[in-house]
Amino acid sequence: MTISPPSFAFVSDLARRETAMLYDPGKEYLVEARLLPLAREAGCADVDGYVARLRTDPVEQAKALDALTINETSWFRDNAPYQAFTEVMLPAMVAARSHVRHLSIWSAACSSGQEAYSLAMLLDQHLPAGWTAQILATDVSTTMLARVDAGRYSQVEMNRGLPATSLVKYFSRAGSEWEISEDLKRMVRTQQLNLSAPFPLLPTFDIVFLRNVLIYFDLETKRDILRRMRQVVAPDGFLLLGSSETTLDLEDDWNREAHGRTQLHRPATTTLQPIALTGA
Ligand SMILES: C[S@@+](CC[C@H](N)C(=O)[O-])C[C@H]1O[C@@H](n2cnc3c(N)ncnc32)[C@H](O)[C@@H]1O
């Protein structure tokens, strides 16, 4: 039994309205696969029956939206951005923040936390002695945030990009899973945050990883998020997008600097127009 067109239209409208995620026609199979376990759990005969319930049940809507998120991630994903982090961003920020000896980093759309913890490992290895760092890990999915807090990963997840030396150094066995060290957990703080809604009060960040999430949004949402990002990235800070994402043609407020295959985005400095003095 496949999801009916009206049910699909309701779910894709809901996703777009609440999280800006696009589920265009052709994604019926995906929506059905994600909602079927929830339909079974709720005792509904099929996904259409479950969508009928969704129409009037906000608690179930939140569960469905969470289940619809695409959480693909891995340790040190694409490698090059993490190399740029160690070789360019970190040295630049350490030079610029010597008066406070603290760095503030945001992993926006963190999924199950591999991005935030990969950064935490690099900070542990490369931050000068006496410095501290805080990584804010946010996502719209509370299920994902609970996973970040738990810091536990299956063997299959561990096999995706984690160097053996880091496994030995930062993880211990927890039953059939691996759990990240308390030291790294302390560096990472989680918060639910919907990128498509106005940001809550946030600190200024030295480095923001906003990777592999803009791809799910339409052009206007991407523009809006990049515009708001401009307010929270420090004037001398860095923004990193996914390898298939760019600010090109979206926002003029960012300068792009290439480091190997990685594009680093930095807030464009505002040029103040000279004030014309009129004669007294
Ligand atoms: C493909 S994962 C990317 C994870 C990580 N940044 C990486 O590059 O490996 C996309 C994440 O974006 C989150 N997401 C989707 N829509 C969102 C929104 N409106 N606000 C915040 N996070 C969102 C999903 O829950 C998911 O965990």
Side-chain angles (χ1 to χ4, degrees):
M1 165 95 192
T2 50
I3 187 167
S4 70
S7 295
F8 179 72
F10 175 80
V11 174
S12 76
D13 281 355
L14 179 72
R16 181 190 278 256
R17 194 172 60 244
E18 297 297 327
T19 65
M21 281 185 296
L22 297 178
Y23 282 92
D24 291 329
K27 291 284 168 63
E28 287 83 354
Y29 69 95
L30 185 64
V31 168
E32 177 145 357
R34 294 299 179 101
L35 296 189
L36 195 57
L38 293 179
R40 293 210 175 108
E41 200 183 294
C44 299
D46 52 30
V47 170
D48 278 341
Y50 179 68
V51 174
R53 178 160 167 189
L54 272 188
R55 290 176 186 270
T56 57
D57 186 338
V59 174
E60 212 58 50
Q61 283 182 10
K63 277 200 222 171
L65 287 169
D66 197 307
L68 285 167
T69 57
I70 295 161
N71 311 117
E72 168 67 19
T73 191
S74 54
W75 303 101
F76 301 97
R77 186 174 184 174
D78 302 331
N79 264 316
Y82 292 93
Q83 209 177 330
F85 178 80
T86 312
E87 292 173 2
V88 180
M89 295 182 259
L90 206 49
M93 285 295 105
V94 164
R97 298 290 179 271
S98 56
H99 56 299
V100 283
R101 295 171 148 240
H102 178 80
L103 295 184
S104 182
I105 295 166
W106 182 12
S107 165
C110 61
S111 186
S112 37
Q114 284 85 333
E115 180 174 277
Y117 286 130
S118 297
L119 292 170
M121 288 178 217
L122 294 179
L123 288 166
D124 177 65
Q125 291 158 26
H126 299 285
L127 208 56
W131 282 62
T132 55
Q134 179 81 61
I135 301 168
L136 177 66
T138 68
D139 202 284
V140 74
S141 162
T142 51
T143 307
M144 286 303 118
L145 295 175
R147 291 215 50 204
V148 184
D149 287 332
R152 283 181 171 223
Y153 300 93
S154 69
Q155 186 63 55
V156 173
E157 289 171 321
M158 298 297 279
N159 292 345
R160 300 193 59 203
L162 187 73
T165 44
S166 299
L167 186 150
V168 173
K169 188 167 181 189
Y170 297 114
F171 289 83
S172 54
R173 267 276 181 202
S176 62
E177 297 182 315
W178 294 89
E179 185 166 349
I180 202 142
S181 73
E182 289 304 318
D183 282 348
L184 293 200
K185 275 190 198 173
R186 267 192 292 277
M187 226 187 273
V188 175
R189 185 170 72 76
T190 54
Q191 181 179 337
Q192 189 188 24
L193 188 145
N194 182 352
L195 290 166
S196 71
F199 293 158
L201 193 63
L202 290 169
T204 302
F205 297 100
D206 301 311
I207 299 170
V208 175
F209 270 48
L210 173 70
R211 304 196 63 230
N212 304 301
V213 63
L214 291 182
I215 37 169
Y216 300 112
F217 305 142
D218 65 19
L219 213 63
E220 203 31 62
T221 308
K222 290 181 209 209
R223 279 205 181 103
D224 178 44
I225 293 172
L226 288 170
R227 214 173 289 134
R228 285 182 284 120
M229 274 294 166
R230 184 70 176 70
Q231 311 305 314
V232 295
V233 175
D236 56 352
F238 294 91
L239 169 72
L240 229 98
L241 304 179
S243 47
S244 62
E245 297 162 328
T246 177
T247 54
L248 259 180
D249 302 328
L250 282 177
E251 262 287 311
D252 285 342
D253 272 359
W254 297 93
N255 289 333
R256 285 164 287 278
E257 293 173 14
H259 179 71
R261 290 186 292 113
T262 306
Q263 287 284 337
L264 312 179
H265 298 86
R266 311 197 76 176
T269 33
T270 328
T271 349
L272 292 174
Q273 294 300 319
I275 301 166
L277 295 175
T278 47

